[in-house]
Amino acid sequence: MSRKLSTTLSARLIFRRWQSTDASNSLPLLKHTPEASVFRKNLPKRPGLAAYKQGMTTFFKSDGTRVPATVLFADRPQVTDVRTLEKHGYTAVQVGIGSKKVRNVTKPELGHFIKAGVPVKRDVVELRISPRAELPQVGADLSVSIFKVGSYVDVKAICKGKGFAGPMKRHGFSGSPASHGVSLTHRSHGSIGQSTTPGRVLPGKRMAGHMGGHNVTVTNLQVLQVLPEHDIVVVQGHVPGPKKGVVRIRDSIRPPKHPKEL
C-alpha cells in the first residue's frame, strides 16, 4: 500500500472514530454550502442606486481647492423586484430607472413592470446587499438622499469598449525599435513563449485582443454634493463608462479610516 493511500485511510478512520464517539461535540462543522458563502461576502447593508453618468465637471471645496467631479443622475429610481436567499440563493434589489414607451418593450417585460406596479423603465439593474439587511418593498421609490455629503461610495459600470487593440495600446508595451533593420514589426509584441520549456504559451500572456467593455469598480469616491430635488449626486473623481451610461452606486465596502474634509 502506498504511503499516500495509507495516510488517506488513517485520516478517514480518525474522522469516523471522532464522529461516533464524540457526536455531541459543541464545535460546529465547517459550512461549505452556497448559502453559507453568501454570509461570508462583504456586501453593503442597504441597497444603493442606479444612475446615468452625465459627464464630468469642476467642483470647488470650501478651502478653494479645485477637484474633478462626475455628475450622476438617478432618473426616478424604483424597486421593481427583490431577490431572497431562500428562493434565489442570494439577496439583491432590482432597481429600474428612466422611462420608455410601452410599445418599445416586450410582453414579458411589460408584465414584469405591471406586477411590480411601476411605470415602464428604460434600464433595470440588480444591486447586491447583505442577507442580513432589510429588503425594501416592491414598487418603493428610492432617492439620492440616502447618500450624505462627505461619505464614500463605490461606483461600478461597464467601461468604454475599444475593440481589438494591439499590445502597445492595450498593455502599454514600448514596441520594437524604429530603425536598425526592424521590418514591419514596430508595434508588435515580439516573442510570446519558448519552444522547448514549457513548449506552449502560458495562460494570461499579455497579447493583442479585445480591449474594454468589462465591468470596472472604482472604490472610495467621496460624495461632494447631493441634490434630491433634481435626483443628482456629484462624486469626486472619474467614473467608468461613457456619457448616458448606467452606473451602480453603493456604500463603500472599505471606507478610508481617515476621511478627508470637504
Side-chain angles (χ1 to χ4, degrees):
M1 184 181 294
S2 63
R3 182 177 178 182
K4 183 177 181 180
L5 182 60
S6 61
T7 305
T8 305
L9 292 176
S10 61
R12 290 180 180 176
L13 291 174
I14 293 173
F15 176 75
R16 288 176 182 175
R17 189 181 303 171
W18 171 84
Q19 197 175 28
S20 60
T21 59
D22 198 5
S24 61
N25 197 331
S26 60
L27 294 177
L29 293 176
L30 294 177
K31 295 182 179 180
H32 297 284
T33 60
E35 291 79 9
S37 65
V38 176
F39 285 92
R40 292 194 295 266
K41 292 182 179 180
N42 192 3
L43 296 172
K45 297 183 180 179
R46 61 175 186 171
L49 280 180
Y52 294 111
K53 178 181 175 181
Q54 297 298 109
M56 297 194 68
T57 183
T58 299
F59 186 86
F60 291 90
K61 294 185 177 181
S62 58
D63 59 352
T65 305
R66 186 180 66 175
V67 295
T70 305
V71 180
L72 304 176
F73 173 47
D75 188 9
R76 291 159 288 178
Q78 287 182 292
V79 178
T80 57
D81 201 358
V82 293
R83 299 286 188 261
T84 59
L85 186 64
E86 295 77 14
K87 186 176 180 180
H88 304 92
Y90 67 100
T91 309
V93 177
Q94 189 183 90
V95 179
I97 56 174
S99 62
K100 202 174 184 179
K101 294 182 179 179
V102 178
R103 65 187 182 188
N104 293 333
V105 298
T106 61
K107 288 185 178 180
E109 291 176 338
L110 182 60
H112 181 70
F113 293 128
I114 293 176
K115 182 180 178 181
V118 300
V120 177
K121 299 295 182 179
R122 175 174 294 275
D123 297 287
V124 177
V125 298
E126 277 191 4
L127 305 172
R128 293 286 300 270
I129 61 174
S130 173
R132 300 181 179 89
E134 183 179 356
L135 292 173
Q137 295 292 331
V138 177
D141 295 330
L142 301 178
S143 175
V144 296
S145 58
I146 62 174
F147 300 113
K148 303 300 180 183
V149 176
S151 61
Y152 288 86
V153 295
D154 297 340
V155 179
K156 182 177 182 180
I158 298 178
C159 64
K160 293 182 180 180
K162 305 294 183 180
F164 191 94
M168 294 181 67
K169 181 177 180 179
R170 191 183 184 199
H171 302 293
F173 287 3
S174 59
S176 301
S179 60
H180 297 285
V182 177
S183 177
L184 303 180
T185 59
H186 305 288
R187 300 183 63 88
S188 65
H189 49 63
S191 177
I192 60 173
Q194 300 78 29
S195 59
T196 305
T197 305
R200 61 191 178 93
V201 179
L202 297 176
K205 184 67 176 177
R206 295 185 297 173
M207 301 171 63
H210 184 78
M211 182 179 178
H214 57 272
N215 280 314
V216 176
T217 302
V218 181
T219 60
N220 293 340
L221 297 180
Q222 193 173 22
V223 178
L224 301 177
Q225 193 174 13
V226 179
L227 302 175
E229 62 276 7
H230 301 293
D231 294 332
I232 286 179
V233 181
V234 182
V235 297
Q236 181 177 350
H238 65 278
V239 171
K243 291 183 180 180
K244 308 298 181 180
V246 180
V247 299
R248 298 170 175 87
I249 316 171
R250 68 180 184 185
D251 293 331
S252 180
I253 297 297
R254 298 178 180 85
K257 295 182 180 179
H258 305 287
K260 297 180 181 180
E261 296 183 359
L262 292 179

